[in-house]
């Protein structure tokens, strides 16, 4: 209540100095904005605040940084999803993921309005307040889960799924851990949602709430890379796509009632994660569509620089990349074209196409990377380093022996190889691939939703009609 609005990049940096408990590699992080592992990501997020403010002040808001959250038209939705194609905007994953996260809460509020009006109203108030404060938040869904073959109530340790350990007149006390939370240490709010539908006997795990990152008892351990801006030559993509991933522990955290969105109503426990799913996945699919385009572009440039662009097997491989890229984009576009209006009058992407696009992108990413690695050749990982290009002792050697076909001189081809290595053959590539696969739920979840949203009855009727067979009903 009455928390300040974050206007500028410096406001954002200051907002992270709020007593939060953060660790990196076993050491407490005293100051997130200046810590070597977080500074790059914090600066990228701070730049977005400054750009948004500059737009507001000049009265000519850059549409790429528009803050409108609710898509009213197909074009609004398209603008949101295609922002990943913009190299500048796409750097700030935290900002780009905040609106889908809030849209998930807003649409769950709609779905729960009749059954649970009080929670629904709290969610609406919370979303409006987040927008007013201009903060960053992320769904905090994935539990530690212990033995995956056992539900929460059967785990030897009941804290393997975040649960309510106490209810008081002030609120609920929660305990457990949520994993892999993107940028957790640089957020303001953690949107804690149950990871799955809970059974009636699992009601203590049916908890959804919003938790400020600096709440007593929240402890965040981090994993991830950090490349500073000085290394941008060698890491042209990853040096600004760095976001630490948080292992978020809730060590008996008191959550006031006004921040509790579900507490024990197991039958509604899947509504929140389900609603977030479609927004999270369309965001990931948009990201993949942008990357797939980049893969096609890189493949063409590499083939030309290597002098192999007219060879049939190379053209064939590029055609395969183009087909994959187009199918992801087609899925995204179909999700937009078939978007459905919500009760509040904004548009939500179609579930079937959203899940299929995300699935297709995720499972074909390895194939696309392999094709590119093939076309690039070994220099993708062995090209001499930026210092070799600069040094008077070695520069000529690099320029001579890294040169390629036509006008592709040694520097051009070396820089091309840096880009390809960073995106598809180095540590960031592996990280990005896993993000594509598991982010916003793994492939199994997409298959489940695809099966549920496809009109199988219509498909069966079509097959029966084609064969002149009777309807035997369902077994
Ligand atoms: C880079 C990255 C960013 C992420 N960001 C976020 C975030 O911001 N917020 C968030 O909440 N989550 C986030 N996630 C988590 C993501 O949603 C999960 O990784 C994903 O849902 C898979 O869960 P898991 O990692 O626990 O894997 P697991 O659930 O352990 O899955 C491993 C394998 O086991 C299978 N499996 C697991 N349980 C069962 C079962 N009961 N029956 C059959 N098969 C099973 C799975 O299908 C899969 O094949 C992120 C993940 C990554 C990698």
């Amino acid at each position: 209540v009455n928390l300040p609005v974050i206007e500028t990049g410096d406001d954002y940096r200051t907002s992270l100095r709020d007593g939060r408990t953060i660790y990196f590699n076993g050491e407490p992080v005293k100051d997130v904005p200046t810590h070597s592992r977080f500074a790059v990501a914090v600066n990228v997020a701070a730049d977005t605040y400054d750009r948004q403010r500059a737009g507001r002040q000049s009265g000519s808001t850059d549409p790429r940084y528009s803050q409108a959250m609710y898509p009213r038209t197909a074009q609004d939705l398209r603008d949101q999803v295609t922002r990943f194609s913009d190299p500048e905007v796409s750097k700030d994953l935290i900002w780009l993921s905040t609106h889908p996260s809030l849209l998930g809460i807003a649409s769950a509020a709609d779905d729960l309005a009749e059954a649970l009006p009080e929670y629904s109203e709290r969610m609406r108030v919370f979303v409006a307040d987040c927008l007013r404060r201009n903060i960053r938040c992320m769904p905090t869904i994935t539990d530690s889960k212990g033995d995956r073959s056992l539900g929460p109530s059967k785990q030897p340790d009941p804290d393997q799924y975040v649960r309510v350990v106490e209810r008081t007149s002030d609120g609920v006390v929660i305990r457990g851990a949520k994993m892999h939370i993107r940028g957790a240490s640089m957020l303001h709010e953690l949107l804690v949602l149950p990871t799955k539908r809970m059974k009636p006997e699992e009601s203590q795990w049916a908890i959804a709430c919003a938790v400020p990152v600096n709440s007593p008892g929240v402890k965040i351990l981090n994993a991830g890379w950090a490349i500073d801006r000085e290394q941008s030559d060698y890491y042209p993509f990853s040096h600004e796509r760095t976001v630490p991933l948080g292992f978020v522990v809730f060590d008996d955290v008191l959550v006031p009632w006004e921040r509790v969105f579900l507490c024990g109503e197991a039958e509604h426990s899947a509504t929140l994660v389900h609603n977030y799913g479609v927004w999270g996945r369309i965001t990931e699919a948009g990201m993949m569509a942008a990357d797939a385009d980049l893969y096609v572009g890189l493949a063409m440039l590499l083939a030309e620089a290597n002098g192999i662009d007219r060879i049939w097997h190379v053209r064939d491989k590029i055609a395969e990349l183009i087909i994959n890229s187009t199918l992801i984009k087609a899925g995204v576009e179909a999700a937009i074209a078939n978007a459905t209006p919500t009760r509040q009058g904004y548009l939500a992407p179609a579930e079937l196409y959203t899940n299929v696009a995300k699935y297709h992108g995720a499972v074909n990413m390895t194939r696309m990377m392999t094709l590119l690695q093939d076309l690039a050749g070994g220099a993708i990982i062995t090209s001499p380093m930026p210092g070799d290009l600069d040094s008077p002792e070695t520069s000529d050697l690099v320029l001579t022996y890294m040169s390629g076909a036509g006008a592709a001189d040694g520097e051009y081809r070396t820089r091309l190889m840096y880009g390809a290595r960073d995106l598809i053959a180095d540590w960031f590539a592996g990280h990005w691939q896993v993000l594509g696969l598991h982010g916003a739920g793994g492939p199994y979840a997409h298959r489940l939703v695809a099966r549920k949203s496809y009109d199988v009855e219509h498909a069966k009727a079509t097959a029966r009609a084609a064969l002149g067979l009777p309807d035997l009903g369902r077994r």
Side-chain angles (χ1 to χ4, degrees), residues 433-453:
Q433 193 180 6
V434 177
L435 168 67
L437 196 66
H438 282 299
Y444 175 63
H446 309 140
R447 284 201 209 120
L448 264 183
V449 179
R451 228 176 42 210
K452 268 178 73 179
S453 0

Side-chain angles (χ1 to χ4, degrees), residues 223-291:
W225 72 100
I227 294 163
D228 55 44
R229 285 182 173 175
E230 280 78 68
Q231 292 177 282
S232 60
D233 281 354
Y234 201 50
Y235 298 97
F237 293 109
S238 62
H239 80 282
E240 282 191 316
R241 284 195 187 185
T242 152
V243 174
L245 293 161
F247 176 114
V248 181
V249 179
F250 297 92
D251 193 1
D252 289 358
V253 175
L254 174 69
V255 185
W257 281 112
E258 65 270 20
R259 292 174 150 271
V260 174
F261 306 146
L262 194 81
C263 184
E265 297 77 5
E267 68 278 23
H268 297 291
S269 50
T271 304
L272 285 117
V273 70
H274 184 87
N275 273 285
Y276 166 68
V278 73
W279 292 105
R281 285 172 202 161
I282 196 72
T283 307
E284 298 282 341
M287 207 150 86
M288 285 176 174
D291 279 346

Side-chain angles (χ1 to χ4, degrees), residues 12 16 20 38 41 93-94 136-138 180-190 213 220 222-223 242-246 248:
Y12 171 66
L16 304 181
R20 55 188 60 205
F38 299 92
L93 278 184
I94 295 299
R136 303 297 184 247
C137 53
M138 201 65 75
H180 331 307
I181 310 307
R182 214 170 307 173
S185 300
M186 14 174 328
L187 302 173
H188 302 105
E189 296 275 355
L190 301 161
V213 173
I220 305 180
N222 288 273
T242 152
V243 174
L245 293 161
V248 181

Side-chain angles (χ1 to χ4, degrees), residues 15 107 120 126 132 144 153 157 171 181 188 221 235-236 273 276 286 294 319 351 431 434-435:
S15 71
S107 49
S120 168
F126 173 77
R132 178 191 69 78
S144 52
S153 62
D157 176 356
I181 310 307
H188 302 105
L221 284 56
Y235 298 97
V273 70
Y276 166 68
L294 206 51
E351 278 208 304
H431 174 103
V434 177
L435 168 67

Side-chain angles (χ1 to χ4, degrees), residues 399-419:
L399 294 178
T400 303
Y401 296 114
M402 281 301 291
S403 66
D409 63 25
E411 183 177 350
Y412 174 92
R413 190 161 165 271
T414 303
R415 284 167 51 92
L416 198 50
M417 292 294 174
Y418 291 163

Side-chain angles (χ1 to χ4, degrees), residues 143 145 150 152 155 158-163 175 195 198 205:
D143 291 288
K145 295 185 290 204
L150 304 174
Q155 297 282 339
D159 299 342
Q160 293 294 351
Y161 286 74
V162 168
R163 68 185 178 120
R175 187 187 299 161
T195 199
M198 296 296 168
W205 292 274

